[in-house]
Amino acid sequence: MKIAFLADPLDTFKTYKDSTFAMMREAARRGHTLYAFEQADLVLESGLVTANAFKVTLTGDSEDWYRADKPTATFLSEFDAVIVRKDPPFDMEYIYSTYLLELAEKQGARVFNKPAAIRSHNEKLAIAQFPQYTAPTLVTRDAKRLRAFHAEHQDVILKPLDGMGGMGIFRVKADGMNLGSIIETLTDNGQRTIMAQRFIPEISAGDKRILLIGGKVVPNVLARIPQGNEVRGNLAAGGLGKAQPASARDIEIGEALGPVLYERGLLLVGLDCIGSYLTEVNVTSPTCFQEITEQTGFDVAAMFIDALETAAGTVG
């Protein structure tokens, strides 16, 4: 297959933990040809979508890890698969990219995850589609409602709907310390909608990443455990990643959501769960491949490329 990755600049990859690199390495091992391009390389001209893509050759070196040929304007339909691996922020440029990729699909491109599905699954709000698995949650910009939610539940988490890596997450305990200031800051004085959730004490055991690939549950999860006095388990916020077998509840949630999300065009999804509760549905650029593989021996990248080959119609 000819596989193109829409990603951040390759020079920014930390290959020892990067999931996109793990995908590339496995695809190259199987003899597939790799290409890459960035958001800025997408072009719509005369009704047709192209990308200024370049061929990527892996060197096997951990530092100087790739060679890039000269970029060439290429119709996305010329690739067997286009894999969307652009990291957040999910800003307007990201949305514009999904529109262009959706046009490319109409011209024959096969894009994973489907751009319309990415766009319609806000990683925080998507949990509202599966309320049977969530803790009490409120989404609003109304300060009175947010204060009432805190008064009812006493210990709550407040967070923006467009955050990543744990940025902008606040815990407010029963004393309500700084509640007003936090609400004003996160909502921009009532101009931005945010999410409030009842605090889940099981965060001390980790914020678990459950990977769904081709609608199926990866049998191991990565528990991202907060360190010190930190309430956030995100690896970007200093959390410790510990791989472990998926619990019965993890599997229950994964098996319930997996087929539904796959049917919607989401080949790869990262569910976040704390204790027995679903907290996020990550669809933009889910990670944790290498951490799970290194700690458990389960080859997540191989499972992903298997699913990609099937979805792209090259096997089975």
Side-chain angles (χ1 to χ4, degrees), residues 121-143:
H121 288 79
N122 175 276
E123 297 189 330
K124 306 293 191 296
L125 275 174
I127 65 170
Q129 300 180 45
F130 310 100
Q132 66 271 40
Y133 299 115
T134 65
T137 299
L138 173 69
V139 176
T140 184
R141 64 172 72 176
D142 187 315

Side-chain angles (χ1 to χ4, degrees), residues 2 10 22 29 32 48 61-62 76 92 121 225 228 234 238 271 305 315:
K2 293 174 62 176
L10 300 191
R29 188 188 69 78
H32 299 311
L48 299 174
D61 186 281
S62 60
L76 297 189
M92 284 307 301
H121 288 79
I225 303 170
N234 309 73
L271 303 179
I305 298 299
V315 298

Side-chain angles (χ1 to χ4, degrees), residues 266-280:
L266 296 167
L267 180 71
L268 172 61
V269 177
L271 303 179
D272 287 349
C273 288
I274 300 174
S276 60
Y277 296 105
L278 175 69
T279 59
E280 289 190 19

